[in-house]
Amino acid sequence: MATTTTPPAAPKLNRLGLPQADYRGSKTTLCAGCGHNAISERIVDACFEMGVDPVHFLKLSGIGCSSKTPAYFVGRSFGFNSVHGRMPSVATGAVLANRSMHALGVSGDGDTASIGLGQFIHLMRRNLRLVYIIEDNGVYGLTKGQFSATADIGSVQKSGVVNEMPPLDTCSLAILSGATFVARSFSGDKKQLLTILKAALAHNGTVMIDVISPCVTFNDHEGSTKSYKYVLDHEEALQEVSFVPYYEDIAIDYDPGTTADVEMHDGSHLRLRKLAHDFDPSNAQQALKVLGEAHTSGEVLTGVFYIDTKKPNFVQQLDLVDEPLAFLPLDQVRPPRSVLDEVMASLA
Amino acid sequence: MSSSGTLLTSAASSVSTATLLNDFSLQVATVNGSGSQSSNLVLLRTLFQMGIPISGKNLFPSNIAGLPTWYTIRASKHGYVARKKEIDFLVALNAETAREDVLALEPGASVLYDEPLALAKLRADLTYYSLPFDKLVTPVCPQAKLRKLVRNMIYVGAVAHLVGMEMPEVERALQRQFAKKKKAADLNWGAIQAGYDYAREHYPQPDRCQLRRMQATQGKIVIEGNAAAALGCMFAGVTVLAWYPITPSSSLCEFLIDYLKKYRRTADGKATFAAVQAEDELSACGMVLGASWMGARAMTSTSGPGISLMSEFVGLGYYAEIPAVIFDVQRVGPSTGLPTRTAQGDVAFAAWLSHGDTRHIVLLPGTVEECYELGLAAFDLAERFQTPVFVLSDLDLAMNHWMADPFRYPEKPWDRGKILSADDLQRLQGDWGRYRDVDGDGISYRTIPGNEHAMASYFARGSGHNERGLYSEKPDDYTHNVDRLRRKWEGAREIVPQPVLEHEGKGEIGIIAYGSSHPAVMESLDQLRAEYGIEPSYLRLRAYPFAGAIAGFVRRHARVYVIDQNRDGQMHDLLLTDLGAELGARLHSIRHYNGLPVDARSLTDALRSQEHQTN
Ligand SMILES: Cc1ncc(C[n+]2csc(CCOP(=O)(O)OP(=O)(O)O)c2C)c(N)n1
Ligand code: SF4
């Protein structure tokens, strides 16, 4: 055994005083190189950097390779692996029960765009405070490679089967359904994905991020429009995204002519520097238009398409007490005897 | 015979004229959407205020307006509140069904009808009262627009005269019905008087059905089962309610939301509850599981079609061991069946709902009091056993009007089951396992998200885990886990609401029944004794899994009739499975399944005929 002379460097701690190790989870069981693993790593980074408190963080998922991943990040937090396509409802109940929680849900394109489409759309309508991530690979990974509803027309399966059905665009659907933060990124784009995730954690409503996440086992070949190669060749970023959390100095210069600055409800700032498009992220119609155009041209357009920081979230709409419902004591949830007497008298 | 006998269009000589004093059923046949419900409630309340035991049953179509609907009020000095098979007094106002309705009556019954229907020609063995509704309503309601609504009050006045209702009580019932709407009350009172005066003038003779003041309803309330269940949920401390509308379950959530809005807001108007109308029952059930996992008391309410949709989630709840309270207000299946008719058709389905090995706790309220009390108990049991609990009501119990004693305020605090706090974990030095059987009862300890202890968290998922909640596909981990789940369920037998020995009879016959069959069984016991000298014992089930006392009851009787309101005798079959072949051989099945609430006469006849065959 070699003798060690220097002690290991003290790990870097975040603003809660926690090391990044506290944001890791158990070891992944997904295929090596699966895009989903990279997304888990970015979630670890984002939660660490944002100083997310694991005690007040929840991870939820549906069913699929993607939905297994909550076990692989923020191991100190509670997690719930629910049923196929129905995570939104479980998350809704969970957040209603305890409004102090930061919830993050992971879904797949099969989980969201087919079996879970109904719940997905209603989640967007309600604006529950939840970061909803679709790990989008165009196929059903866990059931071995069938096309999903986000697969592009003409996309070819390894076996040669060609997809004839038009894809559903989850970003457009989310915007149409009333979502208040809609973005698309790529599992291979570390910087953009991390920045969007950090902004997502600061958002006071539903965040829908469609992350193109190649399935190396079933959908990474020639002819697939969700392969690493295809996405690298066709990715076009709508903006250069940067994020300044509320607890950091925001006095970084930016040019209002080229950059949209979005102040988020906690005082954080999301900055979107325009690239090719002259784009206003508060304009849903414009977002739908560029998404449609990108679809026609075969581009993989990434960035933040739409953000509305004003709409109240679901808990605010329901006008709930500040304390989590789950922790209300008996005397706050069982009306006094006089109430029962009053009701009984009205029925006598 | 009265000298004004000519007015009785058919003064049939063969008709039994014995007075039915405080003991008859009155049925009003109208058209859905014609606003007759107010009139019927005035009649019902009047009887109740006169101290006479009543029940009111609404037989309505799956339709908003235009199809036939019947409301039946039963007055019973004996306190029988089940449906009575025979109708003694018919108010026939629906042209479409009038003929059939009249032909179905027993000889001697009375019929009050709208003159143009000319029903008196149909049969000679009935007593008829014809009233010109249109002519009577015009002077009391000058506004043509309102006449349709006011018109129905005319029969209230006429019936009041014929059966001897006390008019001050009629007026009081009317005032109550139109509590804050004085103009409407006045208008309707005019119509009632017009009906009363016309009947008194043309039919001075009292009808065979008669009422006289009693003292049997003092201190009682009138309530629907769904309102009672809603109260149970509110006092249980429900905080998250997720639902999707479906008859006959919707009114449970609607009542509950009304109560919560009124009684569960803080001084500054904030809600101590979240009520969500979900996009479907899958979602409603998912929300309940999500909320319960977080430590909230959460519930949903639905009917059979919704239960079908929830089945995957219920299985997850069972395996992930998440409390949930699910009301199933049963109706006739399937979705496009007879959605507004009653049945007990989901018993077997609910008991074992979902794929894989699943067994649930199912509560079976038999009265409106129990809709309240078992509603309360369901939350304690769900948390104690960390599992979904069904409360099986049905349309008859849930949507009809029942008399009851005022509900008792819960004396005990709630039972939140085995929960480890951060301090507990500190004491245990973090050594715990979410699915470990520490106490030998199959029930493990859980932590609630938000627990600050570093070892508190676990990953909730189905069956693929070891005792510590870590992912595992090992054969032993799986069998240990499902065996523990079975142990937990077995342990519930003696803790769930125990069966009630409603009547200790004489002889070797026993009856087992549950749910809304209860009032009919009680009445049938009297019929069996009076008519055949048979005196069966009667055990009323209140929960699944079955308590040991049930086997004891069966052992004490040679023949036990199990009463089901479904075609296949589902409870009979569950009992058979549970009791085993030898004891099970004593079970016999009586089934009622025509969509109408079961009545005593049908039970008496069925039991009598089966006894004939066995003896
Ligand atoms: C009700 C139900 N139907 C079918 C399945 C089988 N199933 C498991 S994962 C899956 C598809 C997952 O695809 P996706 O959401 O795209 O996730 P990926 O594996 O590609 O990450 C299906 C159909 C299931 N678990 N439950
Ligand atoms: S099958 Fe595809 S999606 Fe699943 S883990 Fe492997 S690479 Fe990832």
Side-chain angles (χ1 to χ4, degrees):
Chain A
M1 265 279 179
T3 51
T4 51
T5 49
T6 46
K12 201 174 141 235
L13 305 179
N14 67 7
R15 67 193 177 96
L16 294 185
L18 300 175
Q20 191 178 35
D22 276 24
Y23 291 89
R24 300 211 182 99
S26 55
K27 200 171 150 294
T28 176
T29 58
L30 301 185
C31 306
C34 173
H36 303 350
N37 285 329
I39 300 172
S40 297
E41 286 165 21
R42 294 299 81 71
I43 294 173
V44 170
D45 295 342
C47 291
F48 168 68
E49 289 182 25
M50 287 290 283
V52 164
D53 181 358
V55 170
H56 292 113
F57 187 71
L58 293 178
K59 324 166 286 185
L60 301 106
S61 60
I63 301 280
C65 296
S66 36
S67 289
K68 290 184 174 195
T69 63
Y72 315 144
F73 55 79
V74 203
R76 279 187 49 198
S77 295
F78 282 78
F80 196 144
N81 191 182
S82 70
V83 297
H84 198 20
R86 265 64 87 129
M87 171 264 284
S89 60
V90 179
T92 303
V95 172
L96 289 179
N98 189 338
R99 61 182 296 175
S100 72
M101 288 286 174
H102 266 261
L104 184 144
V106 177
S107 178
D109 43 309
D111 199 64
T112 289
S114 289
I115 193 166
L117 197 53
Q119 293 214 347
F120 172 70
I121 282 175
H122 286 275
L123 176 73
M124 300 300 132
R125 283 180 74 211
R126 294 192 178 105
N127 201 31
L128 183 84
R129 187 167 164 219
L130 171 78
V131 179
Y132 186 94
I133 298 171
I134 305 175
E135 304 191 342
D136 187 353
N137 54 18
V139 288
Y140 291 6
L142 196 57
T143 50
K144 300 196 183 295
Q146 302 85 354
F147 280 124
S148 82
T150 66
D152 292 307
I153 287 194
S155 201
V156 185
Q157 253 174 30
K158 260 189 178 165
S159 60
V161 177
V162 180
N163 177 42
E164 312 267 355
M165 298 298 260
L168 292 177
D169 182 70
T170 51
C171 289
S172 304
L173 277 173
I175 293 169
L176 282 168
S177 313
T180 55
F181 186 142
V182 179
R184 175 166 286 140
S185 190
F186 169 43
S187 64
D189 188 338
K190 277 190 183 181
K191 183 163 170 285
Q192 187 204 45
L193 178 56
L194 176 61
T195 311
I196 291 176
L197 281 171
K198 290 202 290 186
L201 288 167
H203 184 62
N204 181 39
T206 303
V207 181
M208 203 302 282
I209 314 173
D210 182 61
V211 187
I212 308 301
S213 174
C215 167
V216 289
T217 305
F218 296 111
N219 204 18
D220 198 32
H221 49 272
E222 189 90 19
S224 158
T225 57
K226 297 269 195 295
S227 65
Y228 275 111
K229 182 163 180 346
Y230 186 92
V231 182
L232 284 170
D233 291 350
H234 293 83
E235 183 186 2
E236 197 197 305
L238 188 58
Q239 318 106 335
E240 192 179 294
V241 192
S242 60
F243 176 73
V244 190
Y246 70 92
Y247 50 85
E248 275 177 17
D249 187 7
I250 60 161
I252 308 161
D253 274 349
Y254 70 95
D255 172 5
T258 60
T259 305
D261 179 86
V262 182
E263 178 163 0
M264 308 194 63
H265 92 118
D266 66 352
S268 300
H269 286 254
L270 175 65
R271 295 218 171 116
L272 306 167
R273 195 166 72 82
K274 296 162 192 170
L275 294 175
H277 298 263
D278 188 16
F279 184 77
D280 170 9
S282 68
N283 185 334
Q285 290 311 318
Q286 204 188 4
L288 292 170
K289 188 160 160 282
V290 297
L291 281 163
E293 285 164 0
H295 179 241
T296 320
S297 66
E299 270 168 19
V300 181
L301 192 62
T302 60
V304 176
F305 300 115
Y306 181 66
I307 180 162
D308 170 1
T309 57
K310 298 287 178 300
K311 187 176 165 186
N313 70 33
F314 194 38
V315 166
Q316 290 167 324
Q317 292 170 54
L318 291 174
D319 206 13
L320 303 188
V321 285
D322 294 337
E323 214 182 315
L325 293 178
F327 299 150
L328 293 176
L330 181 60
D331 64 2
Q332 268 209 29
V333 295
R334 174 174 290 169
R337 191 179 294 268
S338 59
V339 165
L340 185 63
D341 292 345
E342 181 183 318
V343 176
M344 289 299 110
S346 76
L347 298 165
Chain B
M1 271 275 147
S2 142
S3 59
S4 60
T6 48
L7 288 169
L8 298 173
T9 348
S10 87
S13 47
S14 61
V15 165
S16 140
T17 49
T19 301
L20 302 174
L21 181 63
N22 293 348
D23 189 14
F24 60 87
S25 66
L26 177 147
Q27 185 169 71
V28 180
T30 51
V31 175
N32 208 22
S34 69
S36 57
Q37 188 64 350
S38 307
S39 304
N40 299 333
L41 289 177
V42 169
L43 287 174
L44 185 82
R45 291 289 320 182
T46 302
L47 266 66
F48 178 71
Q49 287 164 201
M50 286 175 67
I52 302 158
I54 44 101
S55 64
K57 293 193 193 295
N58 197 1
L59 181 62
F60 60 104
S62 179
N63 161 266
I64 301 304
L67 288 186
T69 175
W70 297 264
Y71 191 82
T72 308
I73 295 172
R74 180 172 188 185
S76 168
K77 60 184 172 211
H78 307 289
Y80 298 144
V81 290
R83 183 172 72 89
K84 188 178 174 191
K85 204 169 182 180
E86 316 79 45
I87 301 302
D88 302 303
F89 195 117
L90 174 73
V91 177
L93 295 182
N94 182 1
E96 212 184 303
T97 64
R99 202 186 134 80
E100 233 181 288
D101 289 342
V102 168
L103 291 177
L105 294 170
E106 295 287 314
S110 307
V111 184
L112 184 157
Y113 65 93
D114 187 15
E115 207 168 60
L117 295 177
L119 298 176
K121 294 188 206 81
L122 284 175
R123 283 169 64 171
D125 56 352
L126 304 175
T127 303
Y128 294 99
Y129 308 106
S130 124
L131 266 79
F133 277 68
D134 286 338
K135 238 183 269 161
L136 290 171
V137 77
T138 310
V140 295
C141 186
Q143 272 176 282
K145 263 201 324 226
L146 297 176
R147 268 177 217 151
K148 185 174 158 262
L149 295 173
V150 172
R151 196 174 182 273
N152 281 317
M153 283 293 163
I154 289 175
Y155 69 73
V156 174
V159 168
H161 160 69
L162 291 166
V163 304
M165 288 181 182
E166 296 175 11
M167 285 307 273
E169 294 295 2
V170 176
E171 193 176 1
R172 189 151 76 90
L174 180 80
Q175 297 295 352
R176 181 193 165 98
Q177 190 66 28
F178 293 96
K180 289 188 185 86
K181 297 175 230 152
K182 185 169 163 11
K183 256 181 80 183
D186 289 348
L187 207 55
N188 283 292
W189 180 239
I192 290 177
Q193 280 181 310
Y196 182 87
D197 291 342
Y198 184 92
R200 193 177 54 176
E201 191 184 321
H202 294 79
Y203 308 106
Q205 274 296 98
D207 186 71
R208 182 177 70 131
C209 300
Q210 282 299 307
L211 299 173
R212 197 170 305 142
R213 183 170 281 276
M214 286 175 68
Q215 303 296 332
T217 66
Q218 257 162 355
K220 302 253 183 207
I221 59 166
V222 178
I223 191 169
E224 291 148 67
N226 275 348
L231 286 170
C233 296
M234 176 166 71
F235 285 97
V238 67
T239 51
V240 176
L241 150 69
W243 67 296
Y244 189 78
I246 183 168
T247 304
S249 136
S250 300
S251 63
L252 198 165
C253 291
E254 286 163 344
F255 277 121
L256 180 53
I257 290 169
D258 285 349
Y259 287 135
L260 292 171
K261 280 185 176 162
K262 196 161 171 200
Y263 299 117
R264 283 277 300 279
R265 286 191 195 274
T266 55
D268 56 353
K270 300 273 187 198
T272 61
F273 64 92
V276 187
Q277 187 183 318
E279 56 271 31
D280 54 32
E281 291 87 348
L282 291 157
S283 176
C285 195
M287 288 181 196
V288 169
L289 291 185
S292 298
W293 169 59
M294 295 296 290
R297 288 204 145 184
M299 59 124 359
T300 184
S301 168
T302 185
S303 190
I307 294 290
S308 310
L309 292 183
M310 289 176 186
S311 93
E312 186 187 14
F313 258 136
V314 169
L316 176 68
Y318 174 82
Y319 277 104
E321 298 181 67
I322 298 170
V325 172
I326 303 169
F327 281 83
D328 176 4
V329 185
Q330 300 165 96
R331 65 183 209 184
V332 170
S335 306
T336 48
L338 310 179
T340 59
R341 299 300 164 90
T342 196
Q344 296 176 322
D346 303 346
V347 176
F349 189 45
W352 291 8
L353 187 71
S354 206
H355 49 283
D357 285 312
T358 42
R359 275 166 190 254
H360 304 294
I361 294 175
V362 182
L363 306 186
L364 306 161
T367 60
V368 286
E369 283 99 328
E370 282 186 352
C371 288
Y372 167 77
E373 280 171 10
L374 300 194
L376 262 168
F379 289 86
D380 283 353
L381 288 165
E383 290 204 290
R384 178 170 181 157
F385 288 95
Q386 300 175 20
T387 196
V389 169
F390 289 98
V391 186
L392 247 56
S393 174
D394 64 29
L395 184 143
D396 184 23
L397 201 48
M399 289 185 73
N400 285 325
H401 293 100
W402 302 87
M403 267 188 352
D405 287 324
F407 301 159
R408 286 186 295 264
Y409 191 73
E411 299 300 338
K412 282 190 292 187
W414 53 13
D415 180 354
R416 307 231 46 187
K418 299 183 187 179
I419 295 177
L420 294 176
S421 66
D423 288 346
D424 295 333
L425 288 177
Q426 191 64 34
R427 261 188 291 107
L428 295 169
Q429 297 177 322
D431 179 22
W432 77 292
R434 170 66 186 96
Y435 300 109
R436 194 180 287 164
D437 187 1
V438 180
D439 305 320
D441 57 3
I443 307 171
S444 41
Y445 287 79
R446 64 173 176 142
T447 51
I448 301 294
N451 184 318
E452 309 224 336
H453 194 278
M455 298 301 288
S457 73
Y458 68 95
F459 199 69
R461 65 182 129 217
S463 56
H465 54 69
N466 63 16
E467 284 187 341
R468 292 181 50 219
L470 300 175
Y471 190 71
S472 167
E473 295 185 7
K474 286 189 190 142
D476 281 355
D477 283 340
Y478 178 78
T479 46
H480 279 153
N481 191 50
V482 288
D483 288 346
R484 180 180 55 76
L485 287 172
R486 177 68 189 240
R487 223 164 33 248
K488 175 165 99 162
W489 181 84
E490 294 286 345
R493 289 179 188 274
E494 305 305 311
I495 294 181
V496 295
Q498 296 295 292
V500 179
L501 184 64
E502 296 282 358
H503 184 72
E504 179 70 71
K506 297 191 187 89
E508 52 188 12
I509 306 173
I511 292 177
I512 286 180
Y514 62 97
S516 66
S517 302
H518 174 56
V521 176
M522 292 304 284
E523 185 178 348
S524 175
L525 288 177
D526 289 351
Q527 291 176 350
L528 287 165
R529 185 178 41 232
E531 297 167 20
Y532 303 108
I534 310 177
E535 221 181 301
S537 299
Y538 166 31
L539 186 75
R540 184 165 65 83
L541 306 185
R542 301 202 301 163
Y544 180 77
F546 299 128
I550 297 167
F553 179 84
V554 175
R555 213 166 277 125
R556 294 209 314 275
H557 298 90
R559 293 181 300 288
V560 175
Y561 292 92
V562 182
I563 293 164
D564 270 292
Q565 294 188 57
N566 55 60
R567 184 197 64 191
D568 293 339
Q570 296 180 15
M571 188 63 80
H572 169 271
D573 290 356
L574 280 179
L575 282 164
L576 195 61
T577 306
D578 208 72
L579 296 175
E582 201 191 321
L583 207 50
R586 301 179 184 205
L587 299 179
H588 299 261
S589 174
I590 291 179
R591 300 175 296 269
H592 174 93
Y593 50 94
N594 62 3
L596 300 176
V598 65
D599 62 280
R601 177 55 55 200
S602 300
L603 292 183
T604 302
D605 291 351
L607 191 141
R608 179 65 198 154
S609 95
Q610 290 201 34
E611 275 293 291
H612 252 310
Q613 286 158 24
T614 47
N615 283 353

